[in-house]
Amino acid sequence: MVAQLPDPIKIVRRAGDVRIHTFISSFTDDNIANATHIIESRNKLVLVDGQFLVPYALQFREYAAGIGKQIERIYLSHRHPDHWFGLGAAFSDIPIFALPETIAFLKQHGEDSLKDHWKMGNLAPKSLIIPEQTVRAGEEIIDGVKYVFDEVVDTEIDFLLTIGLPDLGVFIAQDLIYSGTHLYLTKYMEHWIGILQHMLLSDYDIFLPGHGFPADKNEVARNIEYLSVAMEAVGKGLASDAFKQFMIERFPERKCPAIFDIYMPRLFDNASEF
Ligand SMILES: [Zn+2]
């Protein structure tokens, strides 16, 4: 279901003539609070991710248009459908950048992934957009703002693009952290914890997640705790519904339990990656 109005849109940080905006889809029903972001600099907008469901992708585009500056480009953080489906609905005219592995996966499996989601009906886009521009680890100045790109492997996804904005203290972590919501778990939990511990030592103080509200280091630490508890439960043999029930009881404050049903077939039953 799609809520009548968009859930919160936040200005996360202002510094000089740069503003960081976060747009979050609904936390209710079967939604998973997809968070997409805008770096607004003096003349341009840079977007991160394209939302999942068509109505939210359109709302995100409308919000960006309302700022009144040219959308220079979009960075796609990774290949999970809840981050790129919306690109086909609302951003087909914008240059899209992604890691080479993400582009290769979408070329190979993107159409299958779209077909696999036929039950979504009009909430899924009609067509697929494959990012054509490659981004690699390194630094770039865009419209006067310093961007630090990194490629993180084997966490919530095999290949993830992160974007640091060191002059703003903002780190766009996307699905390395789930802010206030249940995490999408993978077999890489131990390595993932190591990456989060590294983030705790960084100079960044705002961490933008792929799901939920902008986070601080406390939330990063809570994600480490969540992963540690989940690893221990899996180690004890908890699986599927028993695992879900255990995690919901252990973390009653976290929202968006719909995510369990998305990842559990992959974590416990070897379902396909898309
Ligand atoms: Zn996600």
Side-chain angles (χ1 to χ4, degrees):
M1 263 185 72
V2 173
Q4 211 63 21
L5 291 166
D7 270 79
I9 291 166
K10 291 203 170 267
I11 306 273
V12 178
R13 173 146 284 170
R14 289 169 213 264
D17 47 18
V18 182
R19 293 194 298 174
I20 311 292
H21 310 244
T22 284
F23 175 97
I24 309 169
S25 72
S26 179
F27 284 82
T28 57
D29 302 308
D30 287 336
N31 286 295
I32 46 177
N34 280 102
T36 49
H37 316 289
I38 301 173
I39 299 109
E40 176 194 356
S41 45
R42 183 183 292 261
N43 309 298
K44 290 174 177 172
L45 306 180
V46 171
L47 275 52
V48 180
D49 287 346
Q51 284 290 328
F52 183 25
L53 308 182
V54 168
Y56 292 118
L58 294 171
Q59 285 172 11
F60 182 44
R61 178 72 193 248
E62 196 179 308
Y63 176 75
I67 299 172
K69 295 179 184 176
Q70 181 211 343
I71 303 176
E72 159 83 11
R73 59 181 73 173
I74 301 180
Y75 287 99
L76 172 63
S77 62
H78 64 293
R79 60 172 173 76
H80 280 155
D82 55 316
H83 298 258
W84 64 264
F85 264 29
L87 295 173
F91 298 99
S92 58
D93 57 328
I94 309 286
I96 303 171
F97 289 68
L99 294 171
E101 295 86 354
T102 304
I103 295 174
F105 184 92
L106 292 184
K107 276 186 183 159
Q108 205 181 346
H109 300 293
E111 283 295 345
D112 291 337
S113 179
L114 203 51
K115 280 187 206 136
D116 204 48
H117 288 74
W118 62 272
K119 281 186 185 159
M120 288 170 56
N122 288 338
L123 295 178
K126 301 258 176 299
S127 58
L128 163 70
I129 296 286
I130 307 278
E132 288 186 348
Q133 311 287 333
T134 299
V135 57
R136 293 173 194 279
E139 293 182 12
E140 194 175 342
I141 306 283
I142 303 169
D143 196 25
V145 178
K146 182 175 172 182
Y147 290 68
V148 180
F149 301 105
D150 218 339
E151 176 165 0
V152 178
V153 299
D154 297 347
T155 56
E156 190 257 14
I157 184 81
D158 42 9
F159 299 98
L160 174 74
L161 172 70
T162 61
I163 305 173
L165 304 168
D167 298 333
L168 292 140
V170 173
F171 187 76
I172 305 176
Q174 292 312 87
D175 286 5
L176 279 178
I177 44 173
Y178 279 68
S179 180
T181 66
H182 288 284
L183 280 65
Y184 177 108
L185 299 176
T186 63
K187 62 184 175 185
Y188 305 122
M189 287 186 268
E190 192 169 1
H191 183 246
W192 185 352
I193 288 171
I195 301 287
L196 293 180
Q197 284 167 336
H198 193 73
M199 277 164 58
L200 284 180
L201 299 174
S202 74
D203 290 332
Y204 295 105
D205 64 344
I206 294 181
F207 299 87
L208 301 185
H211 300 262
F213 289 105
D216 60 8
K217 284 190 178 176
N218 289 316
E219 181 60 20
V220 177
R222 284 191 286 265
N223 272 240
I224 293 174
E225 185 197 0
Y226 189 101
L227 289 166
S228 306
V229 168
M231 266 179 66
E232 200 184 320
V234 171
K236 283 180 181 160
L238 275 186
S240 302
D241 283 344
F243 176 80
K244 175 180 175 180
Q245 196 182 339
F246 168 78
M247 291 301 284
I248 286 174
E249 278 171 20
R250 179 70 174 69
F251 297 97
E253 72 285 3
R254 291 204 168 257
K255 296 182 167 58
C256 305
I259 200 107
F260 285 98
D261 300 324
I262 303 175
Y263 77 74
M264 287 200 315
R266 291 177 192 109
L267 185 62
F268 297 119
D269 300 319
N270 278 318
S272 81
E273 272 295 310
F274 48 87

